């Protein structure tokens, strides 16, 4: 829209290049996602989440000994401060788990003596603490709201394995660990998405890492961003409960001008590669278990939205059925996304602070002008 001062609004900042980053790149036409030069298909197949964290934070994949050091740093940092557990205990059972995570991450900053220390080394230590503690927050809250005691992590296990263990109180199989680890790899970073942009804007004021990540969690919570995965599962469950035909269900939504969650993307003009990887996972899980209901519903929806609107699925579409088939509660889907994306948010903050400049765009003013104040008793 043209404005009084001649500046032009770019709605939703579409296509605007706000900064440079070495972390990840997206080719929206080709459906390609790359972390630091490595294609997401390669990483999903051949790297663990911890290796990807190292890659994002340091620029290269780790050697075996570098990976051991990262794992032992994460292990040493993961215990939650008691007051943070107390906050989780006092949180209502009905709270939105993303609101709980946002509050708990913010509270972590209160109990970190280095919260406002801004050396690169201190920021790196905080990134480690923040990432290491996020799984414990989500799992502890999920248990406490069901009147179950939080469970301490196992010593040697991966983050994926330990999260599932802390959540369910039983050791997951290797297949569940592998699927969950792949999900963490896929969600770790994604260019200048809304929550990452939020974290960099906050970081650019030279505020601290806990403030920036709390803000990012707030942005991710929204259903147009990470909150969509929970909405996708709600839709699938609703179809199932009503015994509806998924094609007709979605046709009706579109006819009512409603959005179908898990479809469309600001950057991709073809299938999100993360959705393609997860589609194959859901298909494999369904065939293994001889229970293809969620996959069948999902494919019927995919075909309908594609033919009626020309839209492709994004990462949230198939992550929903993947997590559900792993027995995870739908309202934990977005916190799990946050757990993985904490790697990306913190990597972006470390990058932002290597060459910081305040991020401060302009608004095109389209309001009234030239008014004068009438005394209050004459209005
Ligand atoms: N269902 C139905 N129609 C849609 C959808 C959808 N999911 N997404 C876009 N459209 C339509 C819009 O109605 C609009 O149509 P119109 O031109 O006829 O009005 C057109 O496509 C363009 O939509 P915009 O909202 O302008 O596209 P934008 O780039 O702003 O939005 C977004 C991207 C927010 C992801 C959008 O596609 C959407 O709302 N999707 C559903 C929510 C979702 O899945 N979010 C997760 C995204 S991935 C992530 O954040 C992890």
């Amino acid at each position: 829209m043209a404005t009084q001062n001649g500046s032009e609004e770019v709605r939703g900042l579409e296509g605007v290049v706000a900064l440079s980053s070495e972390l990840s790149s997206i080719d929206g036409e080709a459906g390609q996602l790359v972390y630091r030069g490595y294609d997401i298909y390669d990483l999903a197949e051949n790297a663990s989440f911890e290796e990807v964290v190292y890659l994002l934070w340091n620029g290269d994949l780790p050697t075996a000994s570098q990976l051991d050091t990262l794992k032992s740093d994460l292990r040493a940092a993961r215990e939650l401060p008691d007051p943070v557990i107390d906050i989780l205990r006092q949180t209502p059972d009905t709270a939105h788990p993303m609101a709980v995570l946002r509050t708990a991450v913010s509270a972590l900053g209160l109990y970190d003596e280095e919260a406002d220390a801004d050396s690169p080394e201190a920021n790196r230590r905080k990134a480690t603490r923040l990432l290491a503690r996020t799984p414990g927050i989500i799992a502890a809250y999920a248990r406490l709201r069901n009147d179950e005691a939080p469970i301490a992590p196992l010593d040697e296990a991966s983050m994926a394995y330990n999260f599932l263990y802390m959540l369910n109180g039983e050791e997951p199989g290797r297949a569940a660990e592998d699927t969950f680890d792949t999900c963490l790899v896929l969600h770790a970073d994604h260019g200048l998405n809304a929550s990452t942009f939020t974290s960099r804007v906050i970081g650019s004021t030279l505020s601290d890492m806990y403030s920036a990540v709390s803000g990012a969690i707030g942005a991710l919570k929204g259903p147009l961003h990470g909150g969509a995965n929970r909405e996708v599962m709600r839709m699938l469950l609703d179809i199932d409960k009503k015994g509806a035909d998924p094609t007709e269900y979605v046709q009706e939504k579109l006819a009512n001008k409603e959005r179908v969650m898990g479809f469309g993307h600001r950057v991709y003009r073809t299938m999100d590669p993360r959705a393609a990887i997860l589609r194959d996972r859901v298909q494999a899980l369904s065939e293994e278990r001889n229970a293809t209901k969620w996959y069948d519903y999902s494919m019927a929806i995919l075909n309908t939205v594609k033919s009626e609107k020309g839209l492709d699925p994004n990462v949230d579409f198939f992550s929903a059925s993947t997590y559900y088939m792993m027995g995870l509660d739908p309202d934990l889907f977005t916190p799990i996304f946050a757990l993985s994306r904490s790697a990306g948010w913190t990597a972006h903050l470390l990058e932002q602070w290597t060459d910081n400049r305040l991020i401060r765009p302009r608004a095109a003013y389209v309001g009234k002008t030239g008014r004068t104040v009438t005394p209050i008793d004459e209005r």
Side-chain angles (χ1 to χ4, degrees):
M1 181 190 280
T3 60
Q4 289 143 7
N5 59 6
S7 50
E8 191 97 0
E9 176 194 353
V10 181
R11 292 246 312 146
L13 299 182
E14 179 165 359
V16 170
V17 175
L19 49 86
S20 302
S21 174
E22 295 181 3
L23 289 163
S24 58
S25 78
I26 305 165
D27 183 333
E29 302 298 325
Q32 193 184 39
L33 169 62
V34 169
Y35 296 169
R36 290 202 184 268
Y38 293 95
D39 191 275
I40 196 68
Y41 280 95
D42 194 6
L43 292 170
E45 197 61 37
N46 299 310
S48 66
F49 178 59
E50 283 85 344
E51 286 173 87
V52 166
V53 170
Y54 188 97
L55 173 69
L56 291 172
W57 284 353
N58 298 286
D60 293 305
L61 284 168
T63 61
S65 85
Q66 287 166 333
L67 183 61
D68 280 348
T69 305
L70 174 72
K71 285 182 179 170
S72 86
D73 289 350
L74 287 166
R75 220 174 8 250
R78 68 194 174 188
E79 196 177 332
L80 297 180
D82 287 341
V84 174
I85 303 237
D86 289 343
I87 290 171
L88 296 175
R89 281 187 207 287
Q90 285 162 27
T91 302
D93 307 346
T94 50
H96 192 307
M98 283 296 275
V100 177
L101 181 63
R102 188 195 60 221
T103 305
V105 165
S106 178
L108 284 180
L110 302 177
Y111 303 99
D112 188 331
E113 287 174 0
E114 292 193 299
D116 288 311
D118 62 359
S119 69
E121 297 75 22
N123 281 325
R124 181 55 195 272
R125 286 191 290 273
K126 281 182 280 183
T128 305
R129 288 196 277 273
L130 217 152
L131 180 67
R133 291 173 186 181
T134 303
I137 291 172
I138 302 167
Y141 177 66
R143 293 186 67 81
L144 286 167
R145 70 180 176 171
N146 290 329
D147 296 324
E148 293 168 328
I151 292 178
L154 299 168
D155 229 21
E156 290 304 322
S158 67
M159 286 185 78
Y161 196 90
N162 252 329
F163 175 73
L164 297 172
Y165 173 70
M166 288 190 288
L167 193 64
N168 299 321
E170 52 193 52
E171 299 203 26
R174 288 290 157 202
E177 178 192 23
D178 181 55
T179 299
F180 194 68
D181 188 74
T182 302
C183 292
L184 295 182
V185 167
L186 296 180
H187 288 82
D189 197 40
H190 202 239
L192 205 53
N193 60 85
S195 55
T196 299
F197 185 54
T198 304
S199 76
R200 288 190 77 137
V201 169
I202 297 174
S204 83
T205 70
L206 299 184
S207 185
D208 66 289
M209 190 173 273
Y210 292 101
S211 299
V213 173
S214 309
I217 294 169
L220 189 72
K221 174 172 176 278
L224 295 189
H225 190 12
N229 54 13
R230 167 169 108 150
E231 301 306 319
V232 171
M233 201 60 228
R234 284 184 165 171
M235 171 172 69
L236 294 172
L237 290 166
D238 194 40
I239 290 171
D240 198 49
K241 193 168 137 211
K242 291 179 172 149
D245 175 78
T247 301
E248 287 168 13
Y249 183 97
V250 166
Q251 279 170 335
E252 195 180 321
K253 258 186 184 296
L254 293 174
N256 293 336
K257 303 261 173 258
E258 284 175 52
R259 287 185 181 230
V260 183
M261 291 293 141
F263 285 87
H265 199 273
R266 179 57 68 74
V267 184
Y268 292 116
R269 290 294 161 258
T270 181
M271 188 138 160
D272 178 335
R274 303 166 300 173
I277 293 169
L278 289 173
R279 176 199 55 202
D280 294 349
R281 284 283 170 153
V282 178
Q283 187 178 17
L285 277 173
S286 307
E287 283 166 6
E288 253 167 58
R289 296 173 186 192
N290 213 7
T292 60
K293 178 168 74 179
W294 305 116
Y295 179 72
D296 295 343
Y297 290 175
S298 300
M299 290 309 290
I301 295 170
L302 183 153
N303 290 329
T304 311
V305 178
K306 183 71 183 170
S307 68
E308 304 241 336
K309 290 288 286 185
L311 292 169
D312 290 289
N314 57 54
V315 67
D316 289 326
F317 189 62
F318 284 107
S319 67
S321 35
T322 309
Y323 294 146
Y324 196 74
M325 290 187 76
M326 293 179 69
L328 299 168
D329 188 337
D331 76 356
L332 298 181
F333 293 0
T334 318
I336 289 167
F337 189 157
L339 146 57
S340 164
R341 188 56 60 82
S342 296
W345 292 328
T346 48
H348 275 270
L349 288 164
L350 297 173
E351 184 179 65
Q352 177 69 29
W353 289 324
T354 59
D355 183 23
N356 188 60
R357 186 155 194 239
L358 178 73
I359 299 173
R360 201 294 187 199
R362 297 282 306 273
Y365 180 67
V366 294
K368 295 175 178 168
T369 56
R371 307 171 92 189
T372 55
V373 176
T374 310
I376 193 158
D377 51 357
E378 291 173 29
R379 279 177 227 157

